[in-house]
Amino acid sequence: MAKKKSAIRRPKAETPKGFRDYFGEQVAVRRDMLAAIAEVYELFGFEPLETPAVETVEALGKYLPDTERPNEGVFAWEEDDGKWLALRYDLTAPLARVAAQYRFDLPSPYRRYAMGPVWRNEKPGPGRFRQFYQCDADTVGSSATGADAEMCAVTASVLEAIGIGRGRYLLRLNNRKILDGVLETAGLAEADEGNEDYRQRTTVLRAIDKLDRVGADGVRQLLQDGREDDSGDFTKGAGLSSGQAELIMAFVGARQKDNAATCSELRRAVAGSPKGTAGIEELLSILDILSGQGIGESRLAVDPSVVRGLGYYTGPVFEAELVANLDEELNSAARIGSVAGGGRYDGLVRRFTGQEVPATGVSIGVDRLSAVLAARASAAGVQSERGPVLITVMDRECMSGYQAMADEIRRLGIRAEVYLGNASSFGRQLKYADKRRSPAAVIEGTQERERGIVQIKDLIAGARVAKTATHAQWKSRPSQFEVERGQLAFAIKRLLDDTRR
Amino acid sequence: MAKKKSAIRRPKAETPKGFRDYFGEQVAVRRDMLAAIAEVYELFGFEPLETPAVETVEALGKYLPDTERPNEGVFAWEEDDGKWLALRYDLTAPLARVAAQYRFDLPSPYRRYAMGPVWRNEKPGPGRFRQFYQCDADTVGSSATGADAEMCAVTASVLEAIGIGRGRYLLRLNNRKILDGVLETAGLAEADEGNEDYRQRTTVLRAIDKLDRVGADGVRQLLQDGREDDSGDFTKGAGLSSGQAELIMAFVGARQKDNAATCSELRRAVAGSPKGTAGIEELLSILDILSGQGIGESRLAVDPSVVRGLGYYTGPVFEAELVANLDEELNSAARIGSVAGGGRYDGLVRRFTGQEVPATGVSIGVDRLSAVLAARASAAGVQSERGPVLITVMDRECMSGYQAMADEIRRLGIRAEVYLGNASSFGRQLKYADKRRSPAAVIEGTQERERGIVQIKDLIAGARVAKTATHAQWKSRPSQFEVERGQLAFAIKRLLDDTRR
């Protein structure tokens, strides 16, 4: 019988490649962060929306960021009826679907936030995951620059709410229309989705978006014939002339010492193109609104190098990045870069209804921010949360009494549990308490029961004493003491209150 | 151009069949409920775990509840490398994978809770959804009945924490081992997964599980030759003889006036079978532990008709159901039935490691409980949450000033937003405020600005006055009043505080 079983091939216990498991505090940190973000979004008047993980491939359409083939990069499968379903790759495509589907019922503008995992069917690699969280706020049905300004304002409020204070982040703002004006000036045609010109524009956007990674010369190459990277991989370029490329590079590098100067410089770069000029007016309006809320130069810079790779943006775009002193604090050589971003996309809902519905939004980089907060906490020496008080098991027949102890302690709001493993070794129970970071262990054997007392082992003091305390200190706060059975829960509470102080 | 576009077939904006969109308060109710449940789970010493939505089909195995073909009923797709991935169908299979994968790092016992959506590839129908939430707590690595008792205790605490008070729920407890004893007595062989006997046992379990829906005679038919339902569909039976079926029916109906009497009756039913007798001893131990925490007959009944359909349970099983007076309160003819359940499953981890790892857990029926709470709140006339204060737009050039007002109000922790739609019609703005359930609207036109004041329109009082107030009341609390611009935020706060009182 046993032989027969061992012949069966066992499944491998492994997380699928590109996916992650989150344990304990990792889950709690993200949960608390999402709760803080939700609170800010709600303060700004956004309502929660939760759509399913699954959408029809038809509804998702071809808007997958930075790919051109429909459905490339999504997890999709065919249904029995021949229809295809897929996991959502972001929260914007489902929003466009909802805005179209419920357009006669929803308030207009429709202001919603959403948070949850999204999935990308990409080759997994270091730092590239196939499931990650997004946390977006969007306003659908407003063409006002006030809506765009608000996206910047809510981003600033979110960052501050989760502990990224002023001076530690910068909002970088641009407008796709200005780039359009520059491209017009450079002789590139306006382009509709799907044709050759559109692909060229997309390639141009993607090239600019890589400025941080490949530098100005790299971008120049990508705008023209293409670029070979260090590994020898060749990326095809946009095929612009060197004159065209220089016009674009001048635009990209147009950031000046302050926003007014940058806007003047941009006005020159668009050379009177009506679209480009309109884009600059929009920026000025956004700057004006934000300055009314006290968001000025120190937190907000007009930066023409911000384009956002996604093809669907049509107006103002922005990114929030963490600034250098925070990086230093983390003692990390790597730039953290963008932790949030968004912009205006006026074309997404039209796919469904044929009517253009203006929309603008922001997406917070939840995983990146969680990592930043965790690294900061760890660098600052913040202790992770304590585990539950452990009721050890000396007599297995007394389980009912041990469980009653845990119950009493929990009634005071303190985490507690009875040791449920093999109780034959007391050492193993204390090891378990250690692994769970228990602040205290409770001990009741026959002797204690007969005397009507319990022993409390102070595991925090115990660990500290072992390391640092003098003998006098050790005597003044013994790491094990006894209390009357009836006083157990209150004694535990007193002990933990003392420890916190 | 326009013509060409309208010729393009537009995608349909629809939620995929069997999936749902959740709006506003629906999201908030579930979120708050999950937070309350998490708090109780943590109090009991469980740690959060979040695994990805996606698992390898190999790791999910054939444990899909109530199906026999591997992977039937899951959403699965093939990867480029020929491997198959699938969406998790519950939170237990991923836990078994984690317990095996990290077995040398995790504390033992490993106590975790998990919450999130799971997916079933089933034919959608009324009340049958293909994505729904689960919220589980499990202890892996403990064979102690204390671990099983705790699952009942934590379920009771969870129900009370979310507002299902004592007397409104009942925990119904049984033990698979007792059923095994009865089957032994009835001459049915112990069965290993995969063979014909195993399938027969599964059919028996499923038949008993249908007692609520098909009644005792229906179960009798399903135990023997099979049953035709009202629609004419025939379900094949387990093929037992009528004598065998009666033995099982006697067991299923063995519940007596109290738990002690039921246990005595069960002892008769297992007729000295060692496994059955062990099962009864376990029940007695669980009853003893729970009674030490004050959980007695009024909340806990031994009920042999509880079997839980899932093949993988091996010991104590239980369900929590809402009792009649709550149903009545909801004025609903339909029984709500089970809202949580679980039990011991000692075989799941063995699939990966070959070693038997005892485990026990509970799963809370989140969607069902959310619906119950929402129905209760609505029956009790609880008003849904108010929306944001609306700053109306009288002069579009003054957007910066309006946004500053929203900003000031938000600083007092009050939700606020500027109207961002087409501001040309004031009526449309008030209609929007109504749809958003705004408690107040702020109005500042040229006149007000010149005088340094703003108008506040009290939309709650306005609505109330329109319905019920006398003229005197109306005069004492006018639904529109003016305040100095600098006093806006505090005036709003005072108004809302008054309204709450």
Side-chain angles (χ1 to χ4, degrees), chain A residues 426 430 441-444 448 454-459 461-462 465 474-475 477-483 495:
Chain A
F426 187 67
L430 286 186
V442 176
I443 305 160
E444 186 208 58
E448 284 84 5
V454 289
Q455 303 277 349
I456 295 176
K457 206 172 165 61
D458 178 346
L459 298 173
V465 161
W474 185 81
K475 280 188 84 173
R477 191 160 189 259
S479 68
Q480 184 165 328
F481 57 96
E482 59 178 58
V483 298
L495 175 68

Side-chain angles (χ1 to χ4, degrees), chain A residues 212-233:
Chain A
D212 271 4
R213 272 163 286 161
V214 304
D217 281 340
V219 176
R220 254 184 206 99
Q221 291 165 4
L222 288 168
L223 289 174
Q224 301 179 58
D225 298 332
R227 176 176 177 270
E228 195 179 297
D229 68 15
D230 293 341
S231 72
D233 282 352

Side-chain angles (χ1 to χ4, degrees), chain A residues 1 42 45 142 192 415 436, chain B residues 1 42 45 192 415 420:
Chain A
M1 192 60 212
E42 295 201 351
S142 172
D192 252 337
R415 299 182 70 193
R436 292 299 308 277
Chain B
M1 190 62 212
E42 296 202 351
D192 253 336
R415 299 182 71 193
L420 291 170

Side-chain angles (χ1 to χ4, degrees), chain B residues 35-332:
Chain B
I37 298 174
E39 207 179 311
V40 174
Y41 282 162
E42 296 202 351
L43 205 52
F44 275 75
F46 298 94
E47 298 286 342
L49 168 69
E50 190 173 324
T51 59
V54 177
E55 295 281 343
T56 66
V57 160
E58 186 190 358
L60 287 183
K62 54 175 293 188
Y63 275 91
L64 184 61
D66 294 326
T67 63
E68 283 161 19
R69 277 193 294 137
N71 315 320
E72 190 184 352
V74 305
F75 292 107
W77 59 88
E78 197 174 1
E79 291 263 283
D80 287 343
D81 60 4
K83 284 192 181 162
W84 281 78
L85 297 180
L87 292 178
R88 65 183 179 203
Y89 56 79
D90 71 5
L91 300 173
T92 311
L95 170 62
R97 193 259 302 157
V98 164
Q101 182 173 345
Y102 303 92
R103 64 188 177 282
F104 301 117
D105 305 312
L106 292 172
S108 174
Y110 176 51
R111 297 158 61 71
R112 81 89 180 85
Y113 72 90
M115 32 186 62
V118 302
W119 294 265
R120 302 275 167 93
N121 191 359
E122 292 173 343
K123 230 168 103 178
R128 279 172 82 92
F129 293 98
R130 303 167 87 188
Q131 172 176 335
F132 53 92
Y133 267 77
Q134 286 194 339
C135 180
D136 294 10
D138 293 83
T139 296
V140 177
S142 171
S143 57
T145 49
D148 301 296
E150 193 184 51
M151 290 302 158
C152 296
V154 78
T155 303
S157 287
V158 158
L159 291 176
E160 292 177 19
I162 63 173
I164 313 283
R166 295 200 186 165
R168 308 203 154 182
Y169 66 90
L170 181 69
L171 300 170
R172 294 159 65 218
L173 179 67
N174 193 14
N175 195 328
R176 275 288 176 85
K177 288 183 184 165
I178 306 178
L179 179 63
D180 284 341
V182 171
L183 296 182
E184 205 180 287
T185 309
L188 270 78
E190 276 261 24
D192 253 336
E193 228 177 89
N195 67 16
E196 193 53 46
D197 288 345
Y198 183 82
R199 270 191 288 280
Q200 187 182 42
R201 284 174 79 89
T202 309
T203 311
V204 168
L205 289 175
R206 237 178 283 164
I208 301 174
D209 208 28
K210 285 184 183 151
L211 181 64
D212 271 3
R213 271 163 287 160
V214 304
D217 280 341
V219 175
R220 255 183 206 101
Q221 290 166 5
L222 288 169
L223 289 174
Q224 301 180 59
D225 299 331
R227 175 176 178 272
E228 194 179 298
D229 68 15
D230 293 342
S231 72
D233 281 352
F234 185 79
T235 308
K236 218 181 141 223
L240 303 190
S241 73
S242 109
Q244 289 174 316
E246 285 317 314
L247 270 172
I248 291 169
M249 292 311 294
F251 161 74
V252 168
R255 184 169 164 191
Q256 306 294 313
K257 67 177 195 323
D258 63 35
N259 292 332
T262 305
C263 288
S264 305
E265 184 67 24
L266 286 175
R267 223 179 268 281
R268 234 189 319 276
V270 298
S273 135
K275 194 168 186 186
T277 306
I280 293 164
E281 296 306 326
E282 288 176 6
L283 281 194
L284 291 170
S285 163
I286 293 170
L287 292 176
D288 174 50
I289 291 169
L290 289 172
S291 106
Q293 292 164 64
I295 301 177
E297 301 273 347
S298 67
R299 287 190 273 167
L300 178 67
V302 173
D303 185 342
S305 71
V306 172
V307 295
R308 311 276 302 156
L310 280 76
Y312 62 60
Y313 287 116
T314 57
V317 288
F318 71 97
E319 285 184 1
E321 65 167 32
L322 302 187
V323 295
N325 59 349
L326 183 58
D327 283 338
E328 278 159 26
E329 188 180 315
L330 297 180
N331 198 16
S332 149

Side-chain angles (χ1 to χ4, degrees), chain A residues 338-402:
Chain A
S338 169
V339 292
R344 176 165 287 281
Y345 51 98
D346 286 348
L348 268 191
V349 180
R350 186 183 54 202
R351 290 183 55 234
F352 294 103
T353 61
Q355 288 181 310
E356 183 135 317
V357 178
T360 184
V362 60
S363 186
I364 308 282
V366 176
D367 293 301
R368 211 171 260 189
L369 276 174
S370 299
V372 169
L373 295 182
R376 270 181 70 180
S378 141
V382 173
Q383 289 285 309
S384 44
E385 280 286 308
R386 284 278 155 192
V389 170
L390 185 72
I391 318 296
T392 61
V393 173
M394 310 303 284
D395 301 302
R396 255 169 289 188
E397 317 75 61
C398 300
M399 202 45 115
S400 174
Y402 296 135

Side-chain angles (χ1 to χ4, degrees), chain A residues 206-262:
Chain A
R206 239 178 281 164
I208 301 175
D209 209 28
K210 285 184 183 152
L211 181 63
D212 271 4
R213 272 163 286 161
V214 304
D217 281 340
V219 176
R220 254 184 206 99
Q221 291 165 4
L222 288 168
L223 289 174
Q224 301 179 58
D225 298 332
R227 176 176 177 270
E228 195 179 297
D229 68 15
D230 293 341
S231 72
D233 282 352
F234 184 78
T235 308
K236 218 181 140 222
L240 304 190
S241 72
S242 108
Q244 289 174 316
E246 285 316 314
L247 269 172
I248 291 170
M249 293 309 294
F251 161 75
V252 168
R255 184 168 164 192
Q256 305 294 313
K257 66 176 198 323
D258 63 34
N259 292 332
T262 306

